[in-house]
Structure formats: C-alpha cells, structure tokens
Amino acid sequence: GVLRMGQEIEVRPGIITKDGEGRVKCIPVYSRVVSLFAEQNELQYAVPGGLIGVGLTVDPTLTRADRLVGQVLGEVGALPDVYSELEINFFLLRRLLGVRSKEGEKQSK
C-alpha cells in the first residue's frame, strides 16, 4: 500500500505479553505518520520498495533495542490476523522433482 503524511496506521502484532495463565496476548499499536524519509529526501507519500524511514507518534520506549523488528505496519483494519500456532502437514514425494537424469536412466527415488 501507500503511506501518506498524517495517515492513521496500525502496527501488528504490536505489544506481546503473557497473562497469568501463560497465554500470549498481542495488543496492536495505533499511531499516525508524522514524517517520511528516503535517504536525505523528505517525502509526502511512500510506495513499496527501498528503505523508507517512517516517523510515528509512538512512545520511543516501544522502539528501543529493536523491539519493532518483524512487526508489520499498515492501514488500520487492513492487516491480517495474528496467529500464535501453525499446523503444517507434509508428505514425501515418490520421485525427486527438479533433478535431471541422463537419458535412458531411471529417475532415482
């Protein structure tokens, strides 16, 4: 998407805590874009691609020690849900895919 100056944004998963029973709780961070920079240029809007510095109206303690690494920023209500569990089912292929065999040879299993 496109970020604009003054736009209301959401950072997910946000602040991650555990309750008394050990369950993980994620609280999204809501903010507003106050500045956009690419290298030494101040921008009015930013599109995907390249490195963009985004100035927000959040408490600086949330950003210290790279706490926001891995977070996703987007328009309020447009970000996907946060999942704490993932189930993966897999199966083995009978033949190797993407491996070429010499002509006349049987493909290895």
Side-chain angles (χ1 to χ4, degrees), residues 63-107:
T63 62
R64 72 169 195 217
D66 291 335
R67 287 186 185 173
L68 291 182
V69 169
Q71 305 276 336
V72 179
L73 180 142
E75 191 175 352
V76 176
L79 293 176
D81 293 331
V82 176
Y83 295 97
S84 59
E85 266 186 47
L86 181 65
E87 182 179 326
I88 299 174
N89 296 321
F90 64 92
F91 59 92
L92 298 175
L93 300 175
R94 302 189 117 220
R95 294 199 170 107
L96 294 174
L97 296 177
V99 177
R100 292 185 180 172
S101 60
K102 294 180 184 177
E103 288 185 35
E105 282 186 20
K106 207 173 177 183
Q107 193 173 12

Side-chain angles (χ1 to χ4, degrees), residues 14-105:
I15 302 169
I16 302 168
T17 58
K18 285 188 178 181
D19 62 5
E21 298 172 8
R23 289 183 298 221
V24 176
K25 185 176 181 183
C26 299
I27 304 165
V29 175
Y30 297 96
S31 184
R32 188 173 42 85
V33 177
V34 292
S35 65
L36 291 168
F37 277 93
E39 296 184 13
Q40 300 296 320
N41 306 318
E42 188 168 355
L43 307 171
Q44 292 301 312
Y45 63 92
V47 295
L51 296 174
I52 308 285
V54 181
L56 303 174
T57 57
V58 296
D59 187 5
T61 59
L62 291 175
T63 62
R64 72 169 195 217
D66 291 335
R67 287 186 185 173
L68 291 182
V69 169
Q71 305 276 336
V72 179
L73 180 142
E75 191 175 352
V76 176
L79 293 176
D81 293 331
V82 176
Y83 295 97
S84 59
E85 266 186 47
L86 181 65
E87 182 179 326
I88 299 174
N89 296 321
F90 64 92
F91 59 92
L92 298 175
L93 300 175
R94 302 189 117 220
R95 294 199 170 107
L96 294 174
L97 296 177
V99 177
R100 292 185 180 172
S101 60
K102 294 180 184 177
E103 288 185 35
E105 282 186 20

